[in-house]
Amino acid sequence: MSTEVFSAAVPTRRFAAWRGYAGIQVRVSMAYRTDYLFNLVGLLVQVFLLTVVWRSVYAGRGTVSGVDLSTQLAYTTFGSVQYWLFTPWSFSVIPDRVRSGRIAVDLVRPLPFLGQVTAAQAGITAGMAPFAILALPVAVLIGGAAAPTSVTAGAAYVLSLILAYAISTLFASTVGLAAFWTTEISGFFMLYRMIGQFFSGALVPLWFMPGWLSATSHALPFQAMNYTSLAIYLGRDQGGRILGDLAVQAGWLVVATLALRLVWSRALRRVISQGG
Amino acid sequence: MRVRQVRMYAILLRAGMRGQMQYRANFALITIGGFAYQGVGLAFLWIVVARFGSLGGWSIADVALLYGMRLTSHGLWSVPSAQVLSIDIAIREGEFDRYLVRPVNPLIQLLTRSFPLQTISDLMGGVIVLIGAASAADIHWGPGNVGWLLAGLVGGALVEFAVYLAVSALSFRVVAARSPLLTVGSIMQSAGPYPLPIFPAAARAVLTFALPVAFIAYLPAAVLLHRTGEVPFASWLGYAAPAVGLLLAAISYRFWMRQLRQYASPGN
């Protein structure tokens, strides 16, 4: 079975198959559009509350830790929306496949399982993207916005964002593979989600953290899933540091890919699907 | 009659709990996950106050007290009655129809359909934060303040209960009422831990009179911290919080029972 993972098919046919996979998830998202719309309300409330806090603590101050209020508001707005898009509540499709027993069918398909999972995840993001685009202008009205500090920053942001998405999705799939060991994983997932949210700078940027906490955050992969891209966009990191940031992200992408492969090779030996 | 209702509630809750406790390892992980969820919210506030000195004039001990009170009230609400959130499932699965033919109050049957394990971490976490903050905050813990704290906690739980119960009654009329219920819940939870005066005027009014989040923890906490002077609209609102909780819960229960008469089983 594991050789199947690397089997080569005609590239275009394979691409069509991946697209089909993603398409299914897009349609699933559309079926739940009411839930997503309510979910958006939650996102906008979150942006509102965070900006209320920042406006309150900034009252009568210029810059704090080298950051002014409008930069902080832009960070909060963009950061919340991109984090929402990259980290759906069910961040991996794997546990559901295992619990329902559909994993058995997934594994006999002539497409590698990790590819199926990645395509499905991309489909979920594609299905959520219109909602994020819908939310963005409202979030900007509530919070605030800023243009990228330079053309370079703008271009590097796009690249950084793509890397952030890839790292986030690969790590999520790796964590999702825990479902192969136990189906009682909701607590473990919550723990991962919360650690990720905090250290990715989704609530408070790394520049406001005390030194030791900021150092910890910089050493963990989560900042590469969110904070780094915003630091580039808002000009916190400039020039050579942008290259350094992108290199760190590329490094985490390699680690994420290797971790997923490693865990998968172990998980495959443990396939016990529910319901036979 | 009332005593019997409470006894039925206790028996059914214990049965539900026994079922859930079969999975001990999962319970431990769910509790840790719950702590992480609440801890992240507190860590955010702590970092902000550490960097900026205060939040609307509230020190970190004050903010932690507010956070602990809100979380404890949330736990006091959710441990016995979080199943209000699953009313749409009970209706869709036809479970609710069975409640109506049994000789026990349908609300009690709904609340005891299974024990919501994840709520224990909220109550435990809330009490832990509250104990830590209570000793750090500048409050003399005589019988008066302890009594007020308990009244405030129960009142806060009743406010939450009232809001969830009222929104859940939507399910008697429309099929997919889960999203509004969860959204209202997430707004209450996320707006709860902030001092009301930091909000813009319109939001203060909404959080006091429309979605009464202020009554859950902010108002009783403001009384404990001698901050009723900063309370928007009227400083006596702080002292009214526990009574408002009782009143809202009673109104909401009557509303729910009235809406129940509109219930037409989805099976028909």
Side-chain angles (χ1 to χ4, degrees):
Chain A
M1 188 67 72
S2 59
T3 52
E4 201 77 64
V5 173
F6 301 103
S7 77
V10 184
T12 49
R13 265 185 59 196
R14 190 173 257 215
F15 181 72
W18 296 144
R19 225 179 40 199
Y21 251 93
I24 292 169
Q25 291 300 333
V26 174
R27 282 197 291 280
V28 169
S29 308
M30 285 302 138
Y32 287 102
R33 57 187 175 273
T34 323
D35 290 334
Y36 277 119
L37 282 175
F38 274 102
N39 210 313
L40 278 191
V41 176
L43 167 66
L44 294 173
V45 167
Q46 172 81 359
V47 172
F48 172 69
L49 291 172
L50 290 174
T51 55
V52 163
V53 169
W54 295 122
R55 286 201 173 99
S56 166
V57 292
Y58 261 105
R61 290 169 192 254
T63 61
V64 177
S65 305
V67 176
D68 62 8
L69 176 60
S70 64
T71 306
Q72 183 51 40
L73 293 180
Y75 178 96
T76 301
T77 307
F78 293 148
S80 300
V81 175
Q82 72 185 43
Y83 183 81
W84 181 84
L85 179 61
F86 287 5
T87 320
W89 188 251
S90 56
F91 56 74
S92 169
V93 294
I94 299 170
D96 188 48
R97 311 299 293 183
V98 174
R99 196 177 300 116
S100 64
R102 276 175 294 182
I103 185 83
V105 182
D106 293 341
L107 290 176
V108 295
R109 287 205 181 98
L111 286 167
F113 179 68
L114 292 184
Q116 296 178 40
V117 166
T118 311
Q121 215 60 46
I124 289 175
T125 311
M128 285 170 74
F131 294 99
I133 293 167
L134 200 67
L136 190 60
V138 188
V140 167
L141 274 180
I142 295 170
T149 42
S150 67
V151 178
T152 318
Y157 169 71
V158 174
L159 189 58
S160 174
L161 204 57
I162 293 167
L163 286 166
Y165 179 68
I167 299 165
S168 179
T169 306
L170 292 176
F171 270 117
S173 295
T174 311
V175 173
L177 282 174
F180 278 77
W181 279 268
T182 167
T183 50
E184 302 298 330
I185 38 180
S186 56
F188 174 61
F189 282 1
M190 178 64 97
L191 190 61
Y192 174 76
R193 160 176 288 281
M194 287 306 131
I195 291 172
Q197 186 185 23
F198 183 76
F199 288 107
S200 71
L203 291 173
V204 60
L206 273 58
W207 56 63
F208 284 141
M209 292 182 181
W212 59 273
L213 200 56
S214 164
T216 310
S217 304
H218 275 291
L220 292 170
F222 303 107
Q223 39 97 19
M225 303 177 190
N226 189 44
Y227 169 80
T228 307
S229 58
L230 296 161
I232 292 173
Y233 183 91
L234 296 168
R236 179 81 180 181
D237 292 356
Q238 292 179 345
R241 283 183 69 179
I242 294 180
L243 284 178
D245 285 344
L246 294 174
V248 169
Q249 281 189 300
W252 279 118
L253 183 60
V254 173
V255 172
T257 311
L258 292 177
L260 180 58
R261 295 258 157 173
L262 179 71
V263 176
W264 170 238
S265 71
R266 308 235 156 184
L268 199 52
R269 292 186 217 136
R270 299 196 49 104
V271 175
I272 306 163
S273 132
Q274 305 255 334
Chain B
M1 187 64 192
R2 285 282 155 78
V3 178
R4 186 176 161 274
Q5 300 272 19
V6 172
R7 245 194 64 215
M8 289 309 293
Y9 173 79
I11 290 169
L12 290 169
L13 193 69
R14 254 206 320 274
M17 205 168 189
R18 268 206 301 276
Q20 290 284 307
M21 279 299 186
Q22 305 296 319
Y23 311 99
R24 273 174 207 284
N26 192 39
F27 172 66
L29 266 175
I30 283 179
T31 305
I32 294 169
F35 282 164
Y37 181 81
Q38 303 300 346
V40 162
L42 190 58
F44 164 70
L45 288 168
W46 167 68
I47 291 172
V48 170
V49 177
R51 177 66 61 181
F52 289 83
S54 79
L55 178 61
W58 290 47
S59 71
I60 187 62
D62 299 350
V63 170
L65 182 81
L66 176 56
Y67 199 90
M69 284 180 70
R70 186 204 64 81
L71 189 51
T72 307
S73 278
H74 181 69
L76 285 176
W77 164 74
S78 61
V79 168
S81 40
Q83 288 296 348
V84 168
L85 292 170
S86 52
I87 187 169
D88 69 317
I89 298 169
I91 288 176
R92 210 172 40 231
E93 310 270 309
E95 219 179 289
F96 203 85
D97 292 2
R98 268 178 280 146
Y99 299 168
L100 295 176
V101 295
R102 289 186 193 141
V104 178
N105 183 320
L107 180 58
I108 287 180
Q109 295 184 61
L110 173 67
L111 298 188
T112 51
R113 60 189 290 276
S114 98
F115 184 78
L117 268 192
Q118 71 281 5
T119 58
I120 289 188
S121 66
D122 288 344
L123 187 57
M124 278 165 57
V127 171
I128 292 168
V129 174
L130 194 52
I131 289 172
S135 50
D138 187 21
I139 298 169
H140 169 69
W141 290 108
N145 277 341
V146 171
W148 175 256
L149 175 67
L150 295 177
L153 292 173
V154 173
L158 288 171
V159 171
E160 265 201 63
F161 174 74
V163 172
Y164 278 112
L165 194 64
V167 181
S168 80
L170 265 182
S171 298
F172 296 135
R173 292 170 177 271
V174 291
V175 181
R178 188 169 178 78
S179 278
L181 198 52
L182 293 180
T183 303
V184 168
S186 91
I187 295 173
M188 268 201 296
Q189 283 204 56
S190 47
Y194 303 110
L196 197 60
I198 73 167
F199 287 96
R204 284 181 210 164
V206 169
L207 294 175
T208 307
F209 302 113
L211 185 63
V213 170
F215 291 91
I216 297 174
Y218 166 71
L219 288 171
V223 171
L224 276 177
L225 296 165
H226 305 291
R227 288 179 171 277
T228 46
E230 62 156 57
V231 168
F233 309 110
S235 56
W236 57 263
L237 279 177
Y239 299 97
V244 167
L246 265 177
L247 189 68
L248 287 180
I251 294 171
S252 184
Y253 176 70
R254 287 189 73 115
F255 174 72
W256 196 85
M257 288 309 252
R258 282 187 80 91
Q259 292 298 308
L260 178 57
R261 290 187 212 150
Q262 310 295 325
Y263 173 68
S265 167
N268 293 336

